[in-house]
Amino acid sequence: MPSSSQSQQRRRRRPTCTCSRLIAVLAFLLLSHAPSLSFAVDRSKFRTCAQTSFCRRHRNGHSASLYRYKLTEWKFHEYKKTSAAQGTSAAAAGEEEVKADGTDAHQQQKQQQQQSEAGADPDAADAGTGTGTGGGLWNSVVSRVLGKSAPGDRSGGGPLDPYVRGPAASLTATLINTSPTTSTGVGESLNLDVRLHSDGVARVRITERYGTSASAYESARWTSDELILNEEEMVGADDAEIVTSTARPTSRDGDDEQSDNGNNNNNNNIKQKQEDDKALLTELVGTVFTATPDQPQADLDNYVALRYGGADHVLLLRLEPFSFYLFRRGGSGAGESSYGMPIVTVGERGLAHFELRRARDDDSSAGADADATNTDDGENSDAVLMDDDDYIPPDDDDDEEEREAAAASGGEEGDKHGGKEIVGYWEDGLAIYADGTREERPVEDEAEAEHRKLLEEQSPDLDREGLWEESFGGHTDSKPYGPTSVGMDIKFPGSSHLYGLPEHASSTVLQTTHGAGAKYHDPYRLYNLDVFEYELDETMALYGEVPLVISHSVAGGTAGIFWFNPTETFVDVYGPDDDGGIGDAAGHGTTTHFMSESGIVDLFLLPGPDPHTIYAQYGRLTGRVSLPPMFSLGYHQCRWNYRDEPDVYAVHAKFEELDYPYDVLWLDIEHTDGKRYFTWDSNVFPNPVAMQQKLDSQGRRMVTIVDPHIKRDNNYYIHKEATAKGLYVKDKSGTKDYDGWCWPGSSSYLDFTANKVRSWWADQFAYDRYRGSTPALFTWNDMNEPSVFNGPEVSMQKDLRNLAGVEHREWHNLYGLLFHRSTASGLIRRNPDKNIRPFVLSRSFFAGSQRYGAIWTGDNAAEWSHLEAAAPMLLSLNVGALSFVGADVGGFFGDPDAELMTRWMQAGAYTPFFRGHAHHDSKRREPWMFGDETMIRLRKAAMARYALLPFWYSTFREAGVTGMPVMRTMWMEYPQTEPLFAIDDQYLIGSDLLVKPITAPGVTQTTVLFPTADRWYDVDTMAIVSKEGESNGVLSITVDSDIDKIPVYQKGGSIIARKLRLRRSARLMKSDPYTLYIALDGENKAKGSLYMDDEETFSHEHDGEYGVAEFSVSLGGNDGLIENKVALGPGWEDERAKDSLLA
């Protein structure tokens, strides 16, 4: 149980009061002695699906009847082998265009261009914008600066989408909503394009039509390609070909000059091509078509396919009803030469939806659709056109709602605060009053609960709430574009194990959320939030998100999807037996249903076929983990807060005295001058430079916290300059700087979506700007979801605007990543040669955060259940390609006893990021605080970590090259061993160490599942524990695991390098010798590698200054062979350079 002050003062820091009166000070004193509360999230602060209009509207197929799509007027763009750079237009790139009717699109180019410019031709090709000359950057500049598209690339009759990056489109088309009753009440059409990558990835984008006389808006929906995607490595497939059931020309130029024989050959080629295409379509369609009495056979004309990647991959599109299927040669149930069942099916259940932007009252902005889309009372037609008699209004008091809304913004006396003066807010969003009391947690009214249940259960044609504005927790979200949700169902045939969608405090395997017997009632929510006192075994949102799902099965191998949409998203998981009533032919499999509040449908299909390949594919999309500096892989000692310089020196000296290894000492926000970041409280840290230099001289670094909220104080140089330069996020009008509440009190928030803001922020880390900083000081980014204590769900209002006028709802989940990225850039930029690797820890994240530093799991508790949850959470993050991750050792809240602290230190030593941290109300818990016996155990765990630093460093290097996670689920290395697929209480570090943390009290023995494809050695004794057996088998063995032992095993056939000299930091180990631990396999062979560089600069990337040693051992009879082959980078081929760097 938490202490009284801990539970009332909330998660991390005492609230800041801007009122100078004594009564406000008394308020804090009174609250510090309030009754204690147990650890439990205040659920009233965070929305569920049932409280979220777009999720309620589209979940369970409620809106399916409003969205029935047909793909039409498709056009194929065939790259010639000598194609120009990606991103150019079809004609400029030397493409051949084939239309749906098989004719040459270039023959009608002039006519199409005229129609396109008139806004009448939905067929005009969008060849995409990408890398290379004439590509995305140039087109983007033209479009944004001149307000028109660059020549050649148009989409659906409108201008170029200025945001898309990467390979050009291989197929463009129009999607028509054929439902007799659409969500807008009028006809709806969308643009679709398919972009194929050379590694087998397929990207399908569905966007609004814009910039034409038939559309209401002149601009595309904002998307974030250039902020997230790894454009340099996204290479288009130059061998894509169209597969249809009808003949089409295969050559164009010079036809008139061909001989009769040539024409005959060409005709024969066309005939053979048609026969081959028909045979392929017959094979593919046969796996997905379900016969009915009305249609006993499939109509091949209703399908078109794209074959690419050396013919190893096929994307099959069904025209009506629209759906698509990804096939991989040798897929589920197939031989090596055929495709078998699809590995991913999309849209099969008919759950696709795309709500178009629309104008509510302004006819002038609604274009040609204005009259049709607005009802007589000015309210836009919502789910379907209906009679008012059908509408069930909520049982609430509108006047009371208005009063509550006014109260949230400091309104009238009769508000929910009872007229009390608000002097601050807790992190959970509850107000602090000047009289020393605090706002109570609200209790949901029974009538409201009943109404919410009704909304969840009733059909969407009765649910008009939340279309044009939505209220929650006293906050109202205006929606100037109306409902803009998008969604899609995605199935993995033959698979019963899905992984991904971090971050949630739940198992690594995704559990069902839909249907009878579902594990969870609510879908997984992806919306970055500061969730105070989060609970375990939940689908509710936490600090970050990666919308990546990986499927794995024995028959189908590994496949995945990346739902590239950073808006609030809910994901339902349907079990293999929950077919949604459609009885699809693609067989049993697990289905996900993605529902996002806004954005576009931008879906990357990752074909695998194995874990290593799929992470290489994903790495080319979002980047791979950056190699961290060696010191950051050591132990980090943190607390909120080390009080002053004497406290820092005392802690450091005790580590020195006990020969206890550590590398970094951390300072929380109390080190600052009144929560003004980049400053120091001179009363307690008068000589920060000398302090850092002292620790640096003994091989240690320091970290200080820098959060994104900026204190609104005109005497604070950061705020003064940011205001003058106009760098803050704006209110919903787009004119005033947003004012929210966080640790400093009244705060503003920088707009990190803007490049100029990111660059300005990076400049603040310069040594002459951040006074008191040195090269030995690194950074911790917290509260970057962003956290706003008095905002909805403890975050920003969704209708705030960035500097480009884009609403916060569109980029909310990117904020933490962009802040993290900007900070990392600042730590690089502050050094003249920009050659020192940064270290930045972030709480919030998105896809691609692996490129910028470490992530931790937030504010856990000193409880056995949180230790048990740590491994599944960290594995889930690694499934999302976030490798440099950890959980606070000992738990942030509360006070661990000696046993829990020991077990957590042992477990933490075998996780990628290794930090101990504690709340300011927790007892001091430095390793020596638990007595000598426990200190020795804790030191032993830390020493094991330091001995393995060469192995950790080499594994991170592998992750940076291949994309494979550092901390791996068992199935990643044993993809054919099904008993391991759901295991998340043991895991692998790289491929060679198996770890089984002890997560319960009083344990002296535990059970480990050993893959029998390999033998396993105990790392402490190097005794064989498990020998080889069946190639895909598992052996369950009970092993000893008393308080001095964490079960860790080295795989037979591996060689792991260690450093065994006891040192007090990683830097002091730099020149120490290596010791090789050789674990022979059943054939008395082993191999391994060791990566080496200077451990702190970018010279390994910039100058090729590195070396890789490849070890191999083969013993037989009375002789054997031991080899060490060293490959040096070009910068280390000069031995003198290598020797000087290692000295």
Side-chain angles (χ1 to χ4, degrees):
M1 295 290 290
S3 66
S4 60
S5 58
Q6 172 188 329
S7 55
Q8 289 298 322
Q9 288 174 356
R10 316 317 293 163
R11 180 182 66 78
R12 298 195 336 99
R13 305 165 176 94
R14 295 176 177 88
T16 303
C17 176
T18 59
C19 179
S20 61
R21 295 179 301 168
L22 178 60
I23 190 170
V25 177
L26 291 175
F28 297 125
L29 297 177
L30 289 170
L31 285 168
S32 67
H33 297 285
S36 65
L37 297 174
S38 61
F39 291 123
V41 65
D42 180 0
R43 290 182 172 277
S44 68
K45 291 293 176 185
F46 303 102
R47 299 194 303 174
T48 64
C49 175
Q51 295 168 301
T52 309
S53 65
F54 77 87
C55 184
R56 197 171 60 237
R57 195 161 56 249
H58 299 292
R59 195 184 186 200
N60 298 320
H62 282 171
S63 65
S65 63
L66 309 176
Y67 303 95
R68 297 174 182 171
Y69 292 108
K70 175 183 178 180
L71 186 143
T72 185
E73 299 172 318
W74 60 263
K75 187 183 297 181
F76 172 65
H77 313 282
E78 182 180 9
Y79 279 86
K80 291 184 177 179
K81 294 298 183 182
T82 57
S83 170
Q86 298 174 61
T88 56
S89 69
E95 297 176 357
E96 296 177 351
E97 292 188 8
V98 179
K99 294 175 62 178
D101 61 3
T103 61
D104 185 345
H106 289 163
Q107 295 174 357
Q108 304 172 2
Q109 184 175 18
K110 183 175 180 180
Q111 178 183 355
Q112 288 181 355
Q113 183 173 356
Q114 293 171 346
Q115 293 174 336
S116 170
E117 292 171 351
D121 179 18
D123 270 344
D126 176 10
T129 62
T131 59
T133 58
L137 181 60
W138 169 249
N139 288 334
S140 177
V141 169
V142 171
S143 180
R144 296 182 194 185
V145 175
L146 302 182
K148 60 182 181 181
S149 66
D153 283 349
R154 307 180 73 83
S155 177
L160 168 74
D161 185 334
Y163 304 113
V164 65
R165 301 290 185 271
S170 293
L171 183 140
T172 55
T174 299
L175 274 182
I176 297 175
N177 187 353
T178 63
S179 172
T181 50
T182 65
S183 64
T184 57
V186 296
E188 299 175 351
S189 60
L190 302 163
N191 293 326
L192 176 141
D193 62 64
V194 177
R195 298 162 189 265
L196 304 174
H197 295 203
S198 61
D199 60 2
V201 171
R203 182 184 190 183
V204 178
R205 296 179 84 248
I206 301 174
T207 59
E208 281 179 322
R209 298 166 63 83
Y210 69 96
T212 71
S213 59
S215 61
Y217 291 92
E218 291 299 319
S219 61
R221 288 197 189 187
W222 184 87
T223 55
S224 52
D225 287 34
E226 66 180 358
L227 296 176
I228 301 300
L229 297 182
N230 187 26
E231 183 181 355
E232 294 78 8
E233 295 188 46
M234 293 167 57
V235 178
D238 62 4
D239 62 347
E241 58 178 326
I242 192 75
V243 178
T244 70
S245 62
T246 57
R248 62 186 188 282
T250 59
S251 63
R252 288 164 178 78
D253 297 334
D255 282 347
D256 293 339
E257 300 176 6
Q258 288 182 344
S259 65
D260 291 340
N261 183 55
N263 286 328
N264 290 333
N265 289 335
N266 187 51
N267 291 334
N268 290 335
N269 290 337
I270 293 174
K271 183 177 180 180
Q272 184 62 50
K273 176 67 174 173
Q274 183 181 6
E275 292 176 354
D276 292 344
D277 286 358
K278 187 173 181 179
L280 177 60
L281 276 182
T282 301
E283 175 191 346
L284 300 179
V285 172
T287 67
V288 301
F289 174 72
T290 301
T292 66
D294 294 334
Q295 189 177 4
Q297 291 185 334
D299 178 7
L300 294 186
D301 290 340
N302 194 38
Y303 296 85
V304 62
L306 295 164
R307 182 165 49 190
Y308 63 105
D312 285 337
H313 306 94
V314 177
L315 186 69
L316 176 70
L317 298 97
R318 184 175 66 183
L319 306 185
E320 186 178 15
F322 173 68
S323 59
F324 53 97
Y325 313 82
L326 181 64
F327 291 83
R328 182 185 64 226
R329 193 190 297 275
S332 179
E336 292 185 2
S337 61
S338 60
Y339 295 96
M341 301 294 290
I343 55 175
V344 184
T345 74
V346 183
E348 182 73 24
R349 294 182 182 233
L351 299 180
H353 76 270
F354 198 119
E355 294 180 327
L356 302 180
R357 289 176 294 176
R358 62 201 82 171
R360 183 176 190 178
D361 296 318
D362 183 4
D363 289 348
S364 64
S365 67
D369 296 337
D371 293 336
T373 59
N374 287 302
T375 60
D376 293 339
D377 61 1
E379 176 124 340
N380 187 280
S381 168
D382 48 286
V384 295
L385 302 178
M386 68 190 79
D387 294 331
D388 289 340
D389 292 340
D390 291 332
Y391 174 54
I392 300 176
D395 295 324
D396 57 11
D397 185 335
D398 292 339
D399 293 335
E400 181 64 24
E401 284 190 354
E402 291 177 7
R403 285 195 295 272
E404 290 187 3
S409 57
E412 56 205 51
E413 285 186 52
D415 62 25
K416 66 177 181 179
H417 301 288
K420 293 183 178 182
E421 180 181 355
I422 300 173
V423 296
Y425 292 88
W426 296 108
E427 187 182 1
D428 61 3
L430 298 177
I432 306 164
Y433 302 126
D435 65 0
T437 61
R438 61 165 294 171
E439 181 185 355
E440 295 295 326
R441 288 186 178 184
V443 178
E444 186 176 32
D445 180 81
E446 291 185 9
E448 161 127 7
E450 187 63 29
H451 174 59
R452 181 158 56 86
K453 183 178 180 181
L454 175 65
L455 289 178
E456 184 179 11
E457 294 175 351
Q458 67 188 2
S459 63
D461 57 306
L462 301 180
D463 182 4
R464 296 171 61 96
E465 291 191 18
L467 293 173
W468 290 97
E469 67 178 27
E470 191 165 3
S471 295
F472 180 78
H475 299 272
T476 299
D477 173 23
S478 66
K479 298 182 177 181
Y481 304 114
T484 56
S485 175
V486 300
M488 186 70 77
D489 57 282
I490 305 164
K491 179 179 178 180
F492 300 89
S495 175
S496 58
H497 292 88
L498 302 185
Y499 312 85
L501 299 182
E503 180 179 33
H504 298 94
S506 57
S507 64
T508 305
V509 178
L510 296 178
Q511 304 295 327
T512 54
T513 65
H514 181 277
K519 164 74 172 178
Y520 299 117
H521 173 70
D522 273 336
Y524 288 90
R525 189 183 184 202
L526 304 177
Y527 191 66
N528 297 356
L529 292 171
D530 178 1
V531 182
F532 173 72
E533 293 180 343
Y534 65 82
E535 294 180 354
L536 304 179
D537 198 21
E538 291 284 350
T539 58
M540 66 186 302
L542 287 178
Y543 309 104
E545 69 119 335
V546 178
L548 173 72
V549 173
I550 301 295
S551 165
H552 184 75
S553 65
V554 171
T558 313
I561 63 95
F562 174 44
W563 178 264
F564 184 28
N565 186 315
T567 72
E568 180 183 6
T569 299
F570 287 89
V571 185
D572 260 325
V573 179
Y574 294 59
D577 296 324
D578 183 2
D579 67 1
I582 63 168
D584 59 282
H588 286 331
T590 306
T591 297
T592 58
H593 180 203
F594 281 76
M595 299 163 281
S596 294
E597 183 184 20
S598 191
I600 66 171
V601 173
D602 196 353
L603 182 63
F604 289 85
L605 307 177
L606 285 65
D610 55 64
H612 288 256
T613 303
I614 208 166
Y615 280 104
Q617 293 162 350
Y618 184 69
R620 284 187 282 270
L621 296 182
T622 67
R624 290 166 291 277
V625 64
S626 296
L627 183 63
M630 180 69 86
F631 80 84
S632 67
L633 299 180
Y635 177 64
H636 300 247
Q637 182 64 41
C638 185
R639 178 177 178 80
W640 175 28
N641 200 78
Y642 287 114
R643 298 182 300 268
D644 49 30
E645 288 179 6
D647 197 9
V648 168
Y649 289 134
V651 170
H652 169 69
K654 194 66 174 178
F655 274 104
E656 289 279 289
E657 175 190 336
L658 296 173
D659 287 330
Y660 195 113
Y662 93 100
D663 264 86
V664 190
L665 196 65
W666 294 51
L667 296 178
D668 216 312
I669 61 171
E670 309 302 339
H671 82 278
T672 64
D673 177 12
K675 315 302 187 294
R676 299 170 180 86
Y677 303 109
F678 302 104
T679 69
W680 301 81
D681 183 344
S682 60
N683 294 315
V684 290
F685 293 97
N687 301 297
V689 171
M691 176 179 64
Q692 294 164 57
Q693 290 174 341
K694 169 67 174 177
L695 269 64
D696 185 35
S697 70
Q698 296 182 326
R700 290 2 186 271
R701 272 80 164 184
M702 295 193 74
V703 164
T704 53
I705 195 167
V706 179
D707 291 348
H709 45 263
I710 306 299
K711 184 178 180 66
R712 291 174 64 88
D713 174 2
N714 290 331
N715 294 318
Y716 174 31
Y717 75 99
I718 293 287
H719 173 66
K720 184 177 181 180
E721 188 171 323
T723 302
K725 292 180 177 291
L727 305 181
Y728 285 133
V729 172
K730 304 302 180 184
D731 65 7
K732 67 180 181 180
S733 73
T735 58
K736 296 180 180 179
D737 291 346
Y738 172 62
D739 184 353
W741 195 278
C742 208
W743 298 127
S746 180
S747 304
S748 286
Y749 294 74
L750 294 160
D751 174 18
F752 290 103
T753 66
N755 181 66
K756 70 174 184 179
V757 178
R758 296 195 300 274
S759 181
W760 178 85
W761 179 256
D763 289 341
Q764 306 316 302
F765 289 88
Y767 300 120
D768 60 349
R769 295 284 288 171
Y770 186 1
R771 298 189 181 278
S773 66
T774 73
L777 186 68
F778 296 86
T779 306
W780 171 16
N781 286 163
D782 196 1
M783 316 300 287
N784 52 334
E785 291 74 27
S787 180
V788 183
F789 292 170
N790 63 333
E793 301 193 87
V794 198
S795 194
M796 285 183 181
Q797 288 84 347
K798 290 183 176 180
D799 52 6
L800 301 183
R801 304 274 179 166
N802 68 6
L803 298 180
V806 180
E807 286 188 300
H808 174 65
R809 78 182 78 249
E810 304 291 343
W811 42 269
H812 171 87
N813 287 336
L814 302 179
Y815 194 86
L817 173 146
L818 296 174
F819 181 52
H820 194 189
R821 166 181 168 174
S822 305
T823 300
S825 178
L827 295 187
I828 296 171
R829 190 181 296 185
R830 66 181 179 171
N831 298 297
D833 60 0
K834 301 180 181 179
N835 195 36
I836 302 298
R837 288 178 237 168
F839 169 74
V840 186
L841 176 71
S842 173
R843 189 171 69 177
S844 187
F845 56 85
F846 187 71
S849 285
Q850 63 268 17
R851 290 179 282 181
Y852 306 118
I855 302 293
W856 96 106
T857 60
D859 303 330
N860 56 2
E863 298 177 354
W864 287 98
S865 60
H866 278 256
L867 172 56
E868 183 181 15
M873 291 181 70
L874 296 177
L875 287 171
S876 180
L877 291 168
N878 274 265
V879 169
L882 301 177
S883 279
F884 199 6
V885 296
D888 282 341
V889 170
F892 178 70
F893 290 117
D895 298 306
D897 60 19
E899 184 184 11
L900 177 57
M901 189 67 187
T902 299
R903 291 306 196 184
W904 215 317
M905 188 71 76
Q906 291 170 345
Y910 290 95
T911 59
F913 176 59
F914 185 27
R915 181 183 78 157
H917 186 35
H919 188 276
H920 70 79
D921 279 333
S922 299
K923 297 175 183 178
R924 295 293 287 254
R925 62 168 78 150
E926 289 76 21
W928 50 88
M929 300 301 295
F930 298 89
D932 289 347
E933 184 179 2
T934 298
M935 186 280 295
I936 291 172
R937 291 191 179 107
L938 300 180
R939 183 174 60 189
K940 176 185 176 183
M943 290 168 60
R945 169 60 168 232
Y946 277 79
L948 283 168
L949 282 182
F951 172 72
W952 281 103
Y953 199 62
S954 297
T955 304
F956 266 94
R957 171 63 174 179
E958 177 192 355
V961 172
T962 68
M964 274 295 286
V966 169
M967 183 176 175
R968 301 174 189 171
T969 54
M970 297 296 296
W971 61 266
M972 290 183 180
E973 292 298 326
Y974 298 93
Q976 294 295 305
T977 308
E978 191 163 9
L980 297 176
F981 289 1
I983 299 300
D984 60 7
D985 62 350
Q986 64 181 59
Y987 53 87
L988 298 164
I989 302 299
S991 60
D992 295 338
L993 283 185
L994 190 161
V995 182
K996 175 67 182 286
I998 302 303
T999 60
V1003 172
T1004 59
Q1005 290 185 321
T1006 191
T1007 300
V1008 179
L1009 298 181
F1010 291 98
T1012 54
D1014 296 295
R1015 65 172 53 179
W1016 295 91
Y1017 295 76
D1018 185 293
V1019 296
D1020 294 322
T1021 66
M1022 291 306 289
I1024 297 175
V1025 179
S1026 175
K1027 293 186 177 181
E1028 295 95 338
E1030 296 180 8
S1031 59
N1032 297 319
V1034 169
L1035 185 61
S1036 177
I1037 298 179
T1038 298
V1039 299
D1040 292 332
S1041 55
D1042 63 20
I1043 191 64
D1044 291 305
K1045 174 71 173 177
I1046 176 174
V1048 181
Y1049 306 93
Q1050 183 174 340
K1051 183 176 73 174
S1054 68
I1055 300 175
I1056 291 178
R1058 303 191 195 186
K1059 289 188 174 183
L1060 299 183
R1061 292 181 181 176
L1062 174 60
R1063 304 288 188 181
R1064 294 190 292 273
S1065 75
R1067 181 192 292 177
L1068 301 178
M1069 298 169 62
K1070 186 171 184 179
S1071 298
D1072 286 352
Y1074 298 94
T1075 300
L1076 300 183
Y1077 279 62
I1078 301 171
L1080 297 174
D1081 63 16
E1083 298 179 350
N1084 289 329
K1085 296 180 180 180
K1087 61 181 180 180
S1089 64
L1090 172 67
Y1091 173 79
M1092 298 166 288
D1093 61 22
D1094 64 20
E1095 301 179 357
E1096 61 181 65
T1097 75
F1098 287 109
S1099 294
H1100 65 293
E1101 292 183 1
H1102 299 161
D1103 305 313
E1105 295 179 355
Y1106 65 87
V1108 179
E1110 298 287 349
F1111 311 114
S1112 63
V1113 173
S1114 180
L1115 303 181
N1118 297 322
D1119 56 15
L1121 178 65
I1122 300 177
E1123 286 188 297
N1124 176 17
K1125 297 181 179 179
V1126 179
L1128 298 178
W1132 267 16
E1133 289 178 351
D1134 183 344
E1135 291 293 327
R1136 291 171 298 176
K1138 179 183 68 174
D1139 291 342
S1140 65
L1141 285 166
L1142 292 178

